Every structure is written in C-alpha cells, then in structure tokens.
Amino acid sequence: MRVNVTPEIVAAHGLKPDEYAHILRVLNREPNITELGIFSAMWNEHCSYKSSRVWLRTMPTTGPQVVCGPGENAGVVDIGDGQVAIFKMESHNHPSFIEPYQGAATGVGGIMRDVFTMGARPVANLNALRFGAPEYARTRHLVSGVVAGIGGYGNCIGVPTVGGEVNFDPGYNGNILVNAMCVGIADADKVFYSAASGIGYPVVYVGSKTGRDGIHGASMASAEFDENSEEKRPTVQVGDPFTEKLLLEACLELMAGDAVIAIQDMGAAGLTCSAVEMASKGGLGLTLDLDKVPCREAGMTAYEMMLSESQERMLMVLHPDRTEAARAIFDRWELDFAIVGETTDTGRFIIRHQGELVADLPVDVLADQAPMYQRPWTPTPPAPYLAATDVPDTDDIGATLARLMGGPHLASRRWIWEQYDHMVMGDTVQRPGGDAAVIRVHNSRKGIAATTDVTPRYCAASPKEGGKQAIAEAFRNLCAVGAKPLAATDCLNFGNPERPEIMGQFVGCIEGISEACIALDMPIVSGNVSLYNETSGVAIPPTPAIGAIGLLDNIEHMATIAFKRDDDVILLVGETNGHLGQSLYAHEIAGRRDGAPPPVDLAVERRNGDFVREQIRAENIASAHDISDGGLLVAVAEMALAGNLGCALDLPKGACLRHAFLFGEDQARYVLGVNAAKVDALMAAAHKNNVPVTKLGKIGGREIVLDGKSVHSVTGLRGTHENWFPDYMEG
C-alpha cells in the first residue's frame, strides 16, 4: 500500500523542509515512504554528523602510531610486534533513559561489534555513566538498570569490564549518558575495513534475524526528549549476548581466511546505514533483495526491514568463490547466513521487495553529500577567577574529607564494578579502582592501559579549558600506571546544536581537545557525537567524554595507587596554587558553583607526565596517583585506602591557604610513594628536568595525620567511603 508523503510525515522523520526540498531536487520526484525512511536514517545527526562534521575535521587524527583514524568502525593504533589495538567509544544515551537495561546492554553489544568487525578480539570494556541527582525520583531506577545491562551483556559474552566513571548531577535528570568503550587486539596484517570493492560480488547478511525492535532508533537518538518520551520505548533495541558471542567467534574464524572483502556492523540505522556506507566508501552501487533477508516476524515491510536496528547482525562483501565456505562457518555456529544482494558499478542503492522496486537512490547523496551545517555559535562567556580567600575554610578537615569521600561524587564505585566480571579471560592485571585499567596482551609481557575521563563542570564553566583538561587527565591516568599514551577516542555529548550557546560549548570543547591532543601526542582515532541531549529545552552539561589507551612494554614495570610499605616517602609532583574554582570543595562544602576551572598548562602536563612515567619504568616509584576531583588530600586518602596504610603529612611552609592546598584542583599533579633509599635520586632527576617535587611526609600506621594531628582513621574512612553506594541503592 502506497503511503502519501505529507509535510507531517516528513517532519515526523526529523527532516527539515529545506532538507526535503533538496531530496526532491536530487530525485526529481517525490520519494516513497521507504526512500523517505532511508533519507531520514542517513541524514540524521547520529549517522551524518551534519552539525559536527565541519568541526570534527579540525581535530588531530594522525601520527606515526596511527594505522587507521576516524571514518571506520573503530580506530587502529600500532602496539609493536606486528600487533594493533583497535578501540572506540560510543553513546547509547537516549535508549538507556527510556529502557535502561536494554539500552545499556545493546550499547555494550554495539561497541564490541565495532571492534570485532575490524578483526580484533575484544579484550576490555569500559564505560562512562552520568546520572541525575541522587535524590531525583528516577535516578536509582536508572542506575540499577544501566549497571545490570552493562554487566548482563559483557559478562555473558565473556569480555572483562575493567574501568570507567560514574557521576551524578541534576543536569542529567532528564537525559542520562551511557557511553561505552571497547578495546580489542588484532594482528596488524589482519585488520578488516568497510569499503566494498569488486563488481557483482555477493553482499551477505549474517547473524540474528531482523525484527521490528529498534526501528527509528537512530532518529530517536537525534531528537530531544519531551513529556512523551516514554512512548519511544519501541525504538530501543533488544540484545542477546549469547548470539553475539557466536557471531564474534564465527566472524573471527572467517577472518582467519581470505573470504572477506568488506565488513560492516549493522548498528545505527541497521541495514540501511551498513549497506550505504560500504557502497559509498568503495565508490560503488549496491542492490538488495529484501525477500532474502532473514526475518523473525511475519509481514515485515521494506520500510521496517531497512530501518530495523535488531542487534547482532553484520553485512559483508565476500569473494564469490569463498561464499559457500563462509556459509559453512556460520552454519556451524548456528547463525543466519544469506546472500541478500550484490555490488554494482551504478553508484545507486537499489532495493527490491516482493518483486517490486521499493527504492532507487544515489549512494553519494545519502552518504558523502548528506547535509553539513555551519551552525551559528556564540562563545561561552569567560568565568571570573574565584580566589581561595573568597571560599570559606573548613573548621574540621576530617569531617570535610569524610563528607567528600562519603558522598555521591567520590564514594567507592565497588557496588557497580563488582557486578561486572573484570577478571574473565585472565589477563586483567590492574582492576577497577585505580587511575587506569591494565590488560595484559595475551601471551606477552606487554600491557594495554585504558581510561575514560572528563569533568563536565569544568566544560560548562569554560568549554575550551574543560576540553583540554579531559585529554590532560586521560594522559595523567595513563602515565600514572607507567603507560605511554598512544591515542584517544571521544564521545561528545551535548544539547541542541541549533541553539548558538550549545554549539558554542561544542566548538570550545573541540578547540580545547584538539590543542591538548597535539601537545600530548594523543590523536583522536575514533569517536561518536551525541547531540540533542535535552528535555523540554533543558540541556545536559557539556560532556565530551574521552577514552584513551596507552602501552606498557613490560607489565612488571607498572604502578598502582595503593600505598605499599611503611616508611616510604610521600612526594608531590607539580605546583600547587590552591585553585578552588569549580572544585568539588567549592561546590559541595562551600556551596560556590561559580568561578573559572583550573587552567591547564599542556607543556607542564607533558613534562610532569613524562617524568612520572619514566620513573615508574625505572622502578623508582612504588605508588602513583594523579590528583583530580577533590584535590590533594582526597588523592592521598584514596591511596591510603587502597593500601590499607595510613600516613603522616606536613604542610609545606609558605604554602597557599590550608583548605586551598588540601582541596584545590590544580592540574598536572601526582602523589607518589617512593622507597626512602630512592628519594634523593628521584629528586635529583626531577631537578634536572625542571619538575617541581615536594616532600609531603611518610607512609605508616592506620591514621591519616596532618601536621601531627589525626584527620581520620583508615578504617573509619573506609566505611564512609564504601557504604554510600550500597546504602543509596538499598533506598
């Protein structure tokens, strides 16, 4: 039955009147409903990056370590010995707000497919989660569902979830963020790409059957919420990790041979986006016969099949003489395998269903020639400096420390990560809770370190400085375990880009990220943009989440945050000016949410980080921890809890105000635990490299002591730190 395309139907598909007018000009006719759905899928923000492409192209994406940058399913970097790491970070925000378990689960499944589509075996999952205020009515329900979904999918498929971050802020009440990251390892000569080649070659569908779940999922992810958002529940995909495990093993078995010419995950916009991207990247046309598509529901229309986002599916172009051997592999793994089309030299996307031509569209117009906007933007007004003298001191340092470490921002996330299998596969050598996770490269001494970072309150106050800080903190977390930073992936979460102030946040963060990537030699090799994260006109805080990886040549030369031995000396690397603007102390203790974030000096970040990393590799450092949220005293307390050892600190003479020194969030700083016999040599090396290092005290006992007075017992602080999350989730 033909559906007349009306202005209302066009608007319901997320297309603007001028975009539809362009479609009419290109086709020289009206599209049918299936063609309209295809344009809607390919031209939405999630697939076309139409509001962000112009700025994404300004980011640094190359370097001697980069094998493949943005544009493929995931980024690829060289890790030596004929091996590469393949990794990416991606959002599943809107689905997770509507249906938290399945939204988070399918986010994990999707990001893993992006990695193994390129020939890598996934070895680690991470995530970056942002929820509304703890007291908000839906927060507890959303936390429970998202964590269960991440654990349920990752645990079942057998890939360890090894790290991440979880934040709470009222700005996410109406739009939570679920950003998933996956890292895989592959042989450098066995990396697979998505560009189709060859004429008349078979286009093959493998994996699960197609159903009606997830239809318009990509379009839903490109629109803001309103009071009717619950009605979008049918657009959330349903995942099956057991099928994905079979698909993973079948794909890797197939990739061990020479059958695969091109391969693409059916992610956002499903069959539509995977087919169009393969054809576009190869400069080819492609035909599909939807009668050959395996379906699990009767009577599916061409529109439904093309826009379904059913999970655990892949599209491939295979060598014609390898097709039956490939079929045998998927039959053995009990997965669907169907030849659904072929490559052509026409440059057109042609679809048939039940003997009828249901779509005939130019590939390039759908992909490379999708709209690209230079959105108007206004810069975020600079925030004034907040002097430490304008922020009240604390009467009780111990109580302040307990309040910070026993509150939602810094409390232990053990309740979360104990639901994830972080040891499966047997190669996890640094578990959740440290600066970065570390995974052994199987059957080697090498390790891959991975982290996720961003501080949204910094980005809201100063997008450019916040963008710089996100990269800088990722750099510090990798250096703090002894890893050489290699590259980064991003997940750029913002509100409505059609509002100039939101677009200004985006531009500022991109500028800061780019500047930091260049200075710290950490190019962006993959990523995702998630826009329209707002409800009824209220946007989330700007949240450009960064995932980054680094390389340890020898995992035996690795640091952790835990204090190791009595009488080790505590050293502070970096300068402390007591910056309290946008600090957790100012927010949570003093009630001040104004002020500029701490400035980021990228040359100092590079100098200090390189020094710490080299000293770890030289085995001169027993414990290392970067200083971030909460400042110096929080970092020391986290090291004490990790090692179950106390310490005695002495404030340096001539330091800034006490509360600013202890809780300020100045950047480029680390706390080290160093054997007393190695301190002088380390201090001499620091002096030679112009790295500021200050002696703070010694490790020992079961109390955290400041200037001779006990601030808190390790045992008492542990209870406060560990109990907040279980108590909160129990209601």
Side-chain angles (χ1 to χ4, degrees):
M1 182 179 70
R2 179 172 175 82
V3 177
N4 291 324
V5 176
T6 65
E8 291 76 19
I9 289 176
V10 171
H13 280 74
L15 292 164
K16 306 286 185 176
D18 60 327
E19 293 174 339
Y20 185 65
H22 183 55
I23 291 171
L24 296 179
R25 288 192 298 271
V26 168
L27 298 183
N28 199 28
R29 61 176 172 83
E30 287 190 352
N32 62 40
I33 190 65
T34 300
E35 292 173 325
L36 184 73
I38 290 170
F39 271 107
S40 168
M42 292 304 302
W43 284 12
N44 64 49
E45 292 284 358
H46 198 75
C47 295
S48 75
Y49 297 95
K50 59 188 176 185
S51 295
S52 56
R53 267 197 344 261
V54 66
W55 291 103
L56 297 178
R57 290 174 176 174
T58 68
M59 303 180 83
T61 59
T62 60
Q65 71 273 43
V66 178
V67 176
C68 177
E72 275 295 337
N73 287 290
V76 186
V77 295
D78 187 359
I79 60 170
D81 304 311
Q83 293 177 304
V84 293
I86 299 179
F87 70 109
K88 186 183 181 183
M89 194 176 192
E90 197 165 70
S91 64
H92 229 222
N93 303 333
H94 285 49
S96 299
F97 183 80
I98 294 170
E99 175 34 67
Y101 184 94
Q102 290 296 348
T106 52
V108 172
I111 196 64
M112 282 197 281
R113 287 196 303 279
D114 281 339
V115 167
F116 73 74
T117 294
M118 298 194 70
R121 178 171 292 280
V123 297
N125 288 329
L126 298 91
N127 51 72
L129 312 178
R130 263 121 197 143
F131 299 100
E135 62 273 14
Y136 182 64
R138 292 197 64 194
T139 298
R140 189 180 288 107
H141 161 73
L142 292 168
V143 172
S144 178
V146 165
V147 170
I150 291 170
Y153 207 101
N155 295 355
C156 288
I157 202 171
V159 175
T161 300
V162 296
E165 53 181 349
V166 181
N167 296 135
F168 296 89
D169 188 277
Y172 303 105
N173 282 354
N175 290 81
I176 66 170
L177 302 183
V178 175
N179 297 170
M181 177 178 170
C182 182
V183 183
I185 303 295
D187 290 337
D189 60 353
K190 281 292 185 180
V191 178
F192 291 82
Y193 299 99
S194 58
S197 63
I199 307 301
Y201 282 17
V203 176
V204 177
Y205 171 120
V206 300
S208 290
K209 289 179 168 58
T210 294
R212 290 185 171 94
D213 55 315
I215 293 174
H216 282 306
S219 299
M220 180 266 288
S222 303
E224 61 184 89
F225 284 157
D226 55 28
E227 64 274 8
N228 299 315
S229 294
E230 285 294 323
E231 297 174 5
K232 297 180 180 178
R233 191 176 297 272
T235 63
V236 178
Q237 311 92 326
V238 177
D240 179 356
F242 300 104
T243 298
E244 177 131 336
K245 174 63 173 174
L246 300 178
L247 183 61
L248 162 65
E249 299 300 341
C251 285
L252 293 181
E253 182 178 340
L254 179 65
M255 289 166 168
D258 58 358
V260 178
I261 293 174
I263 182 168
Q264 178 73 39
D265 164 42
M266 285 194 228
L271 189 54
T272 288
C273 193
S274 57
V276 170
E277 287 191 356
M278 288 174 68
S280 174
K281 290 174 183 176
L284 299 177
L286 192 145
T287 66
L288 291 179
D289 181 353
L290 298 186
D291 295 339
K292 304 290 181 59
V293 172
C295 294
R296 67 169 182 262
E297 298 184 48
M300 289 189 70
T301 66
Y303 178 95
E304 290 171 328
M305 280 188 268
M306 292 308 298
L307 297 184
S308 167
E309 293 185 7
S310 295
Q311 297 291 286
E312 295 88 39
R313 302 180 300 160
M314 296 282 194
L315 200 65
M316 303 179 180
V317 176
L318 300 181
H319 285 284
D321 59 352
R322 305 286 194 277
T323 304
E324 291 311 308
R327 184 192 302 275
I329 291 173
F330 284 87
D331 285 348
R332 186 164 63 254
W333 288 99
E334 299 182 344
L335 294 166
D336 279 293
F337 180 101
I339 299 174
V340 296
E342 67 176 18
T343 57
T344 71
D345 61 359
T346 65
R348 299 193 71 81
F349 188 32
I350 295 174
I351 306 169
R352 293 181 172 86
H353 184 227
Q354 296 179 348
E356 294 185 4
L357 180 69
V358 295
D360 183 352
L361 302 170
V363 168
D364 285 345
V365 171
L366 291 171
D368 291 343
Q369 297 175 30
M372 182 169 67
Y373 297 124
Q374 176 67 270
R375 300 281 192 196
W377 61 278
T378 56
T380 301
Y385 174 73
L386 178 62
T389 52
D390 292 333
V391 181
D393 198 350
T394 175
D395 295 328
D396 188 331
I397 292 175
T400 298
L401 178 64
R403 184 173 163 188
L404 288 171
M405 296 197 65
H409 303 290
L410 297 177
S412 170
R413 272 48 178 159
R414 183 184 300 274
W415 181 91
I416 292 176
W417 57 258
E418 283 191 340
Q419 297 184 51
Y420 306 152
D421 190 339
H422 49 275
M423 298 301 292
V424 65
M425 300 178 75
D427 281 322
T428 304
V429 294
Q430 188 154 169
R431 305 182 183 193
D435 284 320
V438 180
I439 299 291
R440 177 191 295 106
V441 177
H442 197 63
N443 289 330
S444 80
R445 301 170 69 186
K446 294 189 300 188
I448 298 293
T451 182
T452 60
D453 296 287
V454 69
T455 308
R457 64 183 186 276
Y458 292 176
C459 296
S462 174
K464 184 173 181 179
E465 212 65 25
K468 287 165 58 177
Q469 193 273 342
I471 292 290
E473 185 169 352
F475 176 84
R476 287 199 303 271
N477 283 333
L478 297 173
C479 289
V481 299
K484 176 178 175 55
L486 290 178
T489 181
D490 57 36
C491 198
L492 307 174
N493 307 274
F494 292 82
N496 184 343
E498 297 169 55
R499 294 166 54 194
E501 68 274 19
I502 299 297
M503 199 64 210
Q505 293 176 342
F506 184 87
V507 171
C509 286
I510 289 285
E511 290 176 341
I513 289 169
S514 298
E515 188 176 321
C517 286
I518 292 169
L520 302 177
D521 193 19
M522 285 175 56
I524 298 289
V525 297
S526 60
N528 170 238
V529 178
S530 176
L531 302 176
Y532 296 96
N533 290 289
E534 54 182 80
T535 298
S536 301
V538 179
I540 61 163
T543 312
I546 298 298
I549 68 166
L551 178 67
L552 290 101
D553 294 326
N554 186 345
I555 56 174
E556 293 181 6
H557 300 163
M558 177 186 76
T560 68
I561 72 169
F563 282 157
K564 301 296 189 302
R565 294 177 296 269
D566 285 342
D567 295 326
D568 275 5
V569 177
I570 300 171
L571 302 178
L572 169 63
V573 173
E575 294 183 351
T576 300
N577 296 309
H579 191 101
L580 289 174
Q582 299 303 325
S583 67
L584 279 184
Y585 178 91
H587 276 226
E588 302 302 314
I589 305 301
R592 295 290 299 263
R593 294 181 172 266
D594 55 336
V600 179
D601 186 322
L602 294 168
V604 172
E605 290 282 1
R606 181 68 181 262
R607 180 196 68 194
N608 292 1
D610 287 352
F611 172 77
V612 168
R613 185 175 66 254
E614 291 307 316
Q615 292 299 312
I616 291 171
R617 289 185 173 187
E619 300 184 283
N620 290 330
I621 295 174
S623 316
H625 190 15
D626 88 302
I627 299 175
S628 55
D629 280 350
L632 170 64
L633 190 57
V634 164
V636 169
E638 288 171 340
M639 299 174 81
L641 293 179
N644 199 32
L645 283 171
C647 61
L649 305 177
D650 294 304
L651 283 181
K653 294 180 179 179
C656 51
L657 295 175
R658 182 185 66 161
H659 65 308
F661 184 84
L662 295 175
F663 300 109
E665 296 180 9
D666 303 270
Q667 301 294 289
R669 296 186 301 159
Y670 302 78
V671 178
L672 310 179
V674 178
N675 185 289
K678 297 183 176 183
V679 169
D680 289 344
L682 187 146
M683 297 281 282
H687 179 75
K688 181 179 179 180
N689 288 279
N690 296 314
V691 175
V693 176
T694 305
K695 291 183 181 179
L696 287 182
K698 285 190 176 183
I699 298 169
R702 291 296 181 267
E703 303 278 329
I704 297 173
V705 177
L706 179 63
D707 288 338
K709 298 179 181 179
S710 175
V711 169
H712 222 296
S713 71
V714 172
T715 301
L717 191 60
R718 183 182 308 284
T720 300
H721 185 56
E722 296 281 355
N723 291 341
W724 183 87
F725 232 110
D727 290 348
Y728 171 69
M729 294 308 297
E730 288 175 8

